[in-house]
């Protein structure tokens, strides 16, 4: 590997650097922070923390790229370049996999099926979308009888600030960078402080395939009074796309108000599954099991509230319990590992506080509820037991607040309207899953649950052309397919008097 590659991969002896104007750079201040493995607490590397000078340099580099060759590239050439990025990610699949798994501790089997392939696919889908979007045109009559022709053109928004979370680092970052670049923008990415590696590694890919310097930049650091805030406050940033907690979204929206800059937000959720007695029982257990426990419960679309029609309630609780108890916690690289740790000790404290609250609020702990005994060095990792509760009042914080861990509460219901009311009784509105073999009911209930994404008899089945986003406090705007173009381009009307 070249020197930048070792810096970017960031394991063992290495440093993880900022990527600005096509160069891997440390911080002028010399400040760094630790990147530790959630599996066993081992030091993975040290990350160069960007200060205001680095964030400013990244924004300037992005602006310069827009004024340079990148701004001149036609859509066909830009699309080819994004295909090349995807191909290079796939060629370096193992490097990306190793980096993602080291940062997150998630099972390699999961990252190799989900995170890395989607990281590559996110470039191809939007390269295709921009080539195929029609424009709109209107002819109009005028008093002189000659008329006028209106047509719309799309231009890039400019420099996009991309602020990312840690749960699906490459997938969620490229979900924004792919369309941003496809539309001709330049980006400054601020990965989560917990997961700096794959965004940095992508810098090498950009250089390798000849994406002009400054089109893709990465600055590392934290949120408040650090790189996140410096980036969102920077007036050279034209628009901000953010995935993360609703509370952070509120802070970013305040920063974006200066200069009246556009935001696209994918935020938290407290998603419900609604399971009817007429469901395919095994499919429902399999699907709800994935929705609750995949990625150790750290998926924004995941289910933390399960409502089950009373005739199958007891059977469902017992079957999901068996599913939870079947997970094999272990090192990510072990082939039989099916669940990793939480992202950090800090996040574990948060999740365990809800495990405690559940008991205080009178829950029956069906399974789990604590910290598993892990052997050897794994005892230093951020492990928790997959957990199921029943018997909580709907007013409990465990039912109302996003936990973001491998846990759910299961409650019975007796009528369709009751299930809809329970599912909607939350300030969030991201996703839901409905389990039934009654097609009419599926359509009826789907239309009444106030969320951005409804799955019927499935979960996290993604067609990247579809609108993705949240209602209520779960987000602002939709991304995916042509919907991403609404955010990443400015639509201009040209009126020609004939
Ligand atoms: P977070 O909000 O704590 O952090 C996300 C990013 O924002 C990080 O890079 C962080 O450094 C940065 N940040 C924090 N404060 C900031 C500030 N004041 N200004 C600028 N940047 C700031 O979220 P997280 O803990 O990384 O991720 C988990 C959360 O993300 C959960 O709530 C989850 O539901 C949500 N999420 C939502 C979606 C979705 O599509 N709706 C997807 C994934 C995760
Ligand atoms: O699949 C996607 O495009 C997407 N944004 C998934 C988000 C998952 C949240 O954790």
């Amino acid at each position: 590997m070249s020197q930048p590659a070792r810096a970017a991969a960031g394991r063992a002896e290495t440093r993880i650097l900022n990527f600005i104007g096509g160069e891997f750079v440390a911080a002028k201040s010399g400040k760094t922070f630790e990147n530790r493995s959630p599996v066993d607490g081992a030091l993975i590397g040290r990350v160069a923390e960007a200060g205001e000078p680095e964030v400013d340099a990244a924004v300037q580099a992005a602006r310069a790229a827009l004024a340079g060759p990148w701004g001149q590239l036609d859509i066909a050439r830009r699309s080819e370049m994004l295909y090349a990025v995807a191909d290079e990610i796939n060629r370096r699949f193992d490097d990306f996999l190793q980096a993602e798994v080291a940062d997150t501790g998630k099972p390699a089997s999961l990252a190799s099926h989900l995170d890395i392939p989607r990281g590559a696919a996110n470039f191809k889908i939007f390269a295709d979308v921009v080539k195929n979007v029609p424009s709109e045109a209107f002819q109009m009559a005028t008093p002189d009888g000659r008329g006028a022709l209106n047509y719309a053109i799309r231009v890039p928004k400019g420099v996009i600030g991309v602020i990312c979370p840690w749960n699906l680092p490459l997938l969620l970052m490229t979900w924004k960078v792919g369309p941003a670049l496809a539309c001709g923008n330049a980006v400054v990415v601020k990965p989560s402080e917990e997961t700096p590696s794959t965004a940095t590694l992508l810098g090498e890919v950009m250089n390798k395939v000849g994406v002009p310097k400054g089109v893709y930049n990465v600055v590392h650091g934290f949120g408040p009074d650090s790189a996140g805030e410096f980036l969102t406050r920077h007036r050279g940033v034209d628009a901000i796309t953010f995935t993360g907690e609703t509370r952070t979204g509120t802070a970013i929206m305040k920063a974006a108000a200066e200069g009246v800059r556009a935001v696209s937000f994918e935020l938290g959720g407290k998603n419900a599954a609604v399971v009817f007695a007429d469901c395919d029982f095994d499919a429902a257990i399999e699907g709800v099991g994935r929705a609750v426990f995949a990625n150790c419960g750290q998926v924004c679309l995941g289910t933390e509230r399960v409502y089950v029609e009373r005739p199958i309630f007891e059977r469902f609780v017992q079957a999901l319990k068996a599913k939870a108890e079947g997970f094999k916690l272990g090192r990510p690289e072990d082939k039989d590992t099916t669940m990793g740790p939480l992202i950090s000790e800090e996040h574990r404290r948060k999740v365990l506080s809800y495990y405690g609250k559940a008991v205080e609020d009178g829950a029956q702990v069906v399974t789990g509820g604590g910290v598993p005994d892990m052997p050897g060095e794994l005892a230093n990792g951020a492990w928790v037991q997959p957990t199921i509760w029943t018997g909580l009042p709907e007013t409990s914080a465990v039912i109302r607040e996003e936990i973001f861990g491998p846990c759910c509460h299961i409650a019975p219901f007796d009528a369709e309207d009751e299930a809809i009311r329970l599912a909607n009784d939350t300030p969030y509105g991201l996703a839901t899953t409905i389990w039934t073999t009654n097609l009419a009911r599926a359509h009826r209930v789907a239309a009444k649950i106030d969320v951005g994404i409804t799955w019927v008899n499935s979960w996290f089945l993604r067609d990247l052309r579809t609108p993705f986003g949240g209602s209520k406090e779960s987000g602002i705007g939709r991304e995916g397919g042509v919907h991403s173009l609404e955010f990443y381009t400015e639509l201009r009307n040209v009126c020609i008097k004939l």
Side-chain angles (χ1 to χ4, degrees):
M1 275 191 192
S2 66
Q3 180 63 26
R6 287 209 311 277
R11 288 170 295 285
E13 79 288 1
T14 56
R15 289 175 307 155
I16 298 161
L17 299 173
N18 301 294
F19 182 69
I20 299 174
E23 308 288 336
F24 290 95
V25 294
K28 286 199 181 80
S29 67
K31 271 172 92 175
T32 61
F33 60 92
E34 287 182 343
N35 181 23
R36 287 200 173 268
S37 164
V39 172
D40 56 11
L43 187 67
I44 298 169
R46 296 201 67 86
V47 188
E49 183 178 349
E52 281 187 289
E54 287 75 32
V55 171
D56 184 53
V59 174
Q60 299 308 337
R63 205 144 274 298
L66 291 170
W70 181 246
Q72 309 304 318
L73 273 193
D74 61 36
I75 287 179
R77 182 72 192 98
R78 229 165 42 220
S79 297
E80 277 169 23
M81 220 170 240
L82 297 186
Y83 260 74
V85 170
D87 290 342
E88 182 63 10
I89 293 173
N90 284 328
R91 197 185 67 76
R92 295 192 57 185
F93 194 94
D94 289 345
D95 292 339
F96 277 95
L97 181 63
Q98 202 186 344
E100 199 76 312
V101 163
D103 280 1
T104 59
K106 66 178 71 189
S109 55
L110 175 67
S112 61
H113 278 97
L114 177 65
D115 303 63
I116 314 304
R118 260 299 298 279
N122 285 339
F123 286 99
K124 290 195 174 173
I125 164 80
F126 292 106
D128 290 342
V129 166
V130 290
K131 280 192 297 196
N132 294 306
V133 190
S135 187
E136 63 181 44
F138 291 98
Q139 277 183 292
M140 65 186 287
T142 55
D144 65 7
R146 298 214 301 259
L149 175 66
N150 292 275
Y151 63 89
I153 54 172
R154 287 189 181 276
V155 296
K157 270 230 166 87
V159 176
I160 310 287
V162 183
I163 312 274
C164 308
W166 44 256
N167 60 326
L168 300 164
L170 182 70
L171 186 160
L172 291 172
M173 186 263 291
T174 54
W175 175 242
K176 294 171 179 303
V177 170
L181 299 193
C183 292
N185 301 283
V187 297
V188 181
V189 174
K190 210 297 279 172
S192 167
E193 53 273 33
E194 305 285 356
T195 53
S197 297
T198 45
T200 314
L201 201 48
L202 190 61
E204 291 181 31
V205 168
M206 296 289 172
N207 280 351
K208 174 80 191 294
V209 307
V211 171
K213 291 180 187 316
V215 170
Y216 174 82
N217 305 276
V218 181
V219 289
H220 293 297
F222 303 84
D225 203 25
S226 184
E229 185 179 331
F230 301 149
L231 182 59
T232 52
R233 290 210 175 280
H234 199 297
R235 292 294 292 274
V237 171
D238 298 298
I240 300 163
T241 179
F242 165 71
T243 300
E245 281 190 35
T246 298
R247 208 179 30 200
T248 311
T250 306
I252 292 177
M253 203 163 175
K254 286 180 185 158
E258 292 296 330
V260 200
R261 291 161 307 149
V263 293
S264 174
F265 283 173
E266 295 179 1
L267 307 176
K270 188 71 185 178
N271 310 306
V274 180
V275 185
F276 290 94
D278 63 10
C279 70
D280 174 336
F281 188 84
D282 292 343
I285 290 296
E286 174 61 26
V288 175
R290 278 203 313 121
V292 173
F293 299 114
N295 207 35
C296 200
Q298 303 166 117
V299 182
C300 60
L301 308 160
T303 298
E304 292 189 354
R305 299 180 296 142
V306 185
Y307 299 106
V308 181
E309 205 169 3
R310 200 174 299 273
I312 61 164
F313 178 74
E314 286 303 336
R315 184 175 159 224
F316 187 94
V317 170
Q318 291 312 313
L320 201 65
K321 172 178 190 284
K323 179 106 190 146
E325 291 173 355
F327 283 103
K328 168 85 174 55
L329 280 56
R331 287 204 171 270
E333 55 280 8
D334 289 352
K335 291 238 171 335
D336 52 355
T337 294
T338 49
M339 186 178 284
L342 293 170
I343 190 67
S344 64
E345 186 48 41
E346 184 188 344
H347 188 50
R348 179 163 79 158
R349 277 195 294 276
K350 174 184 162 186
V351 171
L352 288 176
S353 78
Y354 284 99
Y355 283 20
K357 269 183 204 158
V359 174
E360 282 165 26
D361 288 356
Q364 279 92 60
V365 181
V366 175
T367 187
V371 172
D373 279 333
M374 299 300 287
E377 289 170 350
L378 297 190
N380 302 321
W383 303 91
V384 290
Q385 290 175 325
T387 293
I388 298 174
W389 306 283
T390 57
L392 279 171
E394 289 290 311
T395 49
S396 167
V398 176
I399 306 273
R400 305 216 58 82
E401 296 168 13
E402 184 186 49
I403 302 173
F404 225 52
C407 54
C408 70
H409 179 257
I410 316 181
F413 69 87
D414 295 297
E416 188 178 298
D417 283 354
E418 180 194 3
I420 293 166
R421 183 182 54 71
L422 288 165
N424 281 334
D425 185 15
T426 167
Y428 292 109
L430 187 55
T432 196
T433 64
I434 300 166
W435 298 86
T436 178
T437 51
N438 178 333
L439 197 54
R441 167 183 275 157
H443 288 292
R444 197 167 56 231
V445 176
K448 288 186 183 159
I449 300 188
D450 191 1
V451 291
I453 306 143
T454 296
W455 279 287
V456 175
N457 298 330
S458 66
W459 177 73
F460 209 165
L461 180 59
R462 294 280 289 113
D463 180 327
L464 305 186
R465 298 167 298 184
T466 58
F468 182 98
S471 310
K472 301 197 276 186
E473 291 183 23
S474 289
I476 296 180
R478 295 291 180 269
E479 297 194 21
V482 294
H483 309 284
S484 291
L485 272 52
E486 298 304 323
F487 179 71
Y488 293 106
T489 62
E490 200 69 51
L491 197 55
R492 292 185 185 159
N493 188 64
V494 180
C495 178
I496 312 260
K497 174 73 174 61
L498 300 172

